[in-house]
Amino acid sequence: MCEDKSVMMSRRTLLAGGASAALALPVLAKDMVDLRLPGGPSLRSLDPAFPGKGKLIVQRVHPPLLETPFSVFDQGVMTPNDQFYVRWHYPMPTEIKVTDFRLQVRGAVKAPLSLALEEVVKSGEIIELAAVNQCAGNGRGQFVPRIPGAQWGPGAMGNAEWRGVRLRDLLDKAGLNADAKFVRFGGLDEPPVPDAPAYRKSVPIDIARRDDVMVAFAMNGEALPLLNGYPLRLVVPGWYATYWVKMLSDIEVLTSEDDSFWMAKAYRMPTVPVKPGDKDFPTTPIGAMVPRAWITNHADGDRIAAGKPIELRGIAMGGDCGIAKVDVLIGDKILCATLGPDEGQYGFRRWSLTLPDAVGPIGPRCTNVKSVSQPLEQDWNPNGYARGGVEFISLVQA
Ligand SMILES: Nc1nc2c(c(=O)[nH]1)N[C@H]1C(S)=C(S)[C@@H](COP(=O)(O)O)O[C@H]1N2
Ligand SMILES: [Mo]
């Protein structure tokens, strides 16, 4: 955990660009996935050339945007580290020297801290919980009309067991001043040009002091993969991953709302209904996630045998709380799915159902313990955030 770790971008990533087209084509043809985005382009290559990663869908090479192939979610409720999606706004360091690493806690505190990794790990009780890390723009490529930005299919998410120390313990160690209102987080990645705003995110002090908000050093029982934020990342269970700052090196306590770019301009949701083309509507920073459910063992357009029952399997998430139920809508029928074991309110939960037939579009609909159900229509917003409507698929009887 606390030993020196250096990971370099694989030479293959660099060499791939130099391969001749004749050689590259058959490889691409074999290792392509079709994200079935409305209107396309939908084909992406699968590439195992990133450090600590197996085959992921390459949305962008550098800074990496790597999507988890959806079939991974059918294999288990936890997402393996080597298949966990990756999203960086700016180039990140490709090597971390743990001996040089320090986490700063500063700003509106009585005694600023500069902690070595080992001191962070020993700063309080170690806690562990399962939680879904989901990009606010997960599924952006599925919106109609289409929206600019990373054209994610549905795999910009993953569920892991996170282990770390409470952020609150670190804040209390530094001693919050009475006027502390927000806490801002920054990582080791830097903008490639001097004028671009550093990636920093902040949360209100009551969120920062929550019992389950942690500075994590492990994921599924192992050190964080470099691309998922080694050596430390913030985990805000139930909130979109934009707040889960990776390679966390700076915690700054603020006495007023953060007016820097990534809070004041980006990652904001309209507070009123909007339609394509609307301008000048009020917005607020995105925060808690919404309930969602997916079928994992069939994709839209799959062929199935006619006249036979259909086994459906899937996953669901409550958003910022647990799941009360998953219904499956088919034609004018609503059937109640069987839920798998509860492995934590912030994690994925499996569900299953056997349908007598597949006449009509099929859509799983999650209701969380706060009685929030997924809408039947996809809400549209100009950034393609927080997709949450029922995801219908149609199966073709053959
Ligand atoms: N330091 C840093 N942390 C970051 C980001 C980033 O660009 N830099 N991107 C955020 C966003 S928008 C997402 S979706 C998640 C992605 O987490 P992952 O790469 O571990 O899947 O990291 C978040 N934390
Ligand atoms: Mo994101």
Side-chain angles (χ1 to χ4, degrees):
M1 171 71 32
C2 300
E3 66 202 18
D4 221 354
K5 177 170 176 177
S6 50
V7 187
M8 309 288 281
M9 289 294 275
S10 147
R11 279 181 72 224
R12 281 202 52 191
T13 322
L14 296 170
L15 292 176
S20 83
L23 276 176
L25 267 178
V27 176
L28 288 180
K30 191 165 117 244
D31 278 347
M32 297 289 269
V33 284
D34 184 353
L35 287 174
R36 303 183 199 209
L37 304 181
S42 282
L43 292 181
R44 304 280 189 281
S45 59
L46 280 167
D47 201 321
F50 294 84
K53 295 290 167 182
K55 283 191 179 177
L56 289 172
I57 299 166
V58 181
Q59 294 276 11
R60 185 177 70 197
V61 172
H62 192 63
L65 286 185
L66 309 172
E67 177 169 344
T68 301
F70 211 73
S71 57
V72 169
F73 301 112
D74 194 45
Q75 284 152 30
V77 80
M78 308 309 288
T79 314
N81 290 2
D82 67 343
Q83 290 183 297
F84 209 98
Y85 86 104
V86 172
R87 197 269 190 265
W88 289 91
H89 290 87
Y90 293 140
M92 73 294 157
T94 52
E95 188 178 6
I96 302 287
K97 267 214 166 306
V98 166
T99 42
D100 296 345
F101 178 83
R102 291 290 179 280
L103 173 64
Q104 313 292 334
V105 184
R106 62 190 181 97
V109 295
K110 301 201 170 64
L113 307 173
S114 175
L115 303 171
L117 185 56
E118 230 172 276
E119 295 174 297
V120 175
V121 173
K122 290 183 181 149
S123 65
E125 187 192 349
I126 289 176
I127 57 170
E128 197 160 29
L129 60 84
V132 175
N133 160 331
Q134 181 183 207
C135 179
N138 186 28
R140 181 183 292 118
Q142 300 173 291
F143 278 99
V144 181
R146 292 288 287 275
I147 297 163
Q151 295 301 300
W152 296 114
M157 61 175 185
N159 183 31
E161 186 83 21
W162 306 95
R163 192 197 304 156
V165 291
R166 289 192 179 91
L167 172 63
R168 189 177 63 208
D169 287 345
L170 289 169
L171 295 174
D172 287 348
K173 212 176 156 97
L176 289 173
N177 288 348
D179 55 355
K181 294 215 173 51
F182 285 82
V183 184
R184 175 156 67 189
F185 307 90
L188 294 175
D189 47 333
E190 281 169 15
V193 289
D195 288 348
Y199 190 74
R200 293 212 197 92
K201 295 296 296 187
S202 51
V203 301
I205 198 82
D206 55 324
I207 300 295
R209 292 187 56 82
R210 254 170 52 180
D211 213 38
D212 51 14
V213 169
M214 72 169 101
V215 173
F217 50 81
M219 173 177 175
N220 293 327
E222 289 166 13
L224 300 171
L226 179 90
L227 291 172
N228 299 106
Y230 183 85
L232 296 174
R233 87 176 302 167
L234 190 71
V235 168
V236 188
W239 278 40
Y240 285 101
T242 176
Y243 295 99
W244 300 34
V245 172
K246 300 190 280 187
M247 292 187 183
L248 178 69
S249 59
D250 188 38
I251 299 178
E252 184 187 0
V253 179
L254 308 176
T255 54
S256 60
E257 195 160 350
D258 185 357
D259 60 1
S260 65
F261 177 84
W262 294 100
M263 290 301 298
K265 297 275 188 276
Y267 288 106
R268 296 179 69 92
M269 287 289 284
T271 53
V272 295
V274 292
K275 45 182 197 329
D278 285 357
K279 287 204 166 57
D280 299 327
F281 42 81
T283 62
T284 190
I286 198 167
M289 295 192 285
V290 296
R292 300 194 71 181
W294 298 263
I295 295 167
T296 54
N297 67 327
H298 283 296
D300 191 40
D302 275 4
R303 294 184 161 271
I304 46 149
K308 289 215 177 118
I310 300 125
E311 305 277 348
L312 288 184
R313 278 194 306 272
I315 51 169
M317 56 182 278
D320 65 342
C321 62
I323 288 162
K325 63 171 181 168
V326 173
D327 291 318
V328 175
L329 315 182
I330 170 160
D332 54 6
K333 289 197 289 286
I334 302 177
L335 304 166
C336 183
T338 305
L339 295 182
D342 183 350
E343 301 191 40
Q345 59 170 335
Y346 297 116
F348 284 144
R349 185 136 181 206
R350 297 196 69 95
W351 60 267
S352 60
L353 180 70
T354 304
L355 290 179
D357 56 48
V359 182
I362 307 170
R365 185 187 202 192
C366 175
T367 302
N368 70 20
V369 295
K370 294 180 180 168
S371 299
V372 181
S373 295
Q374 292 181 252
L376 296 182
E377 300 277 322
Q378 297 291 349
D379 284 346
W380 190 95
N381 63 84
N383 293 308
Y385 292 146
R387 185 176 171 90
V390 177
E391 305 285 353
F392 285 95
I393 67 165
S394 293
L395 300 177
V396 182
Q397 313 232 19

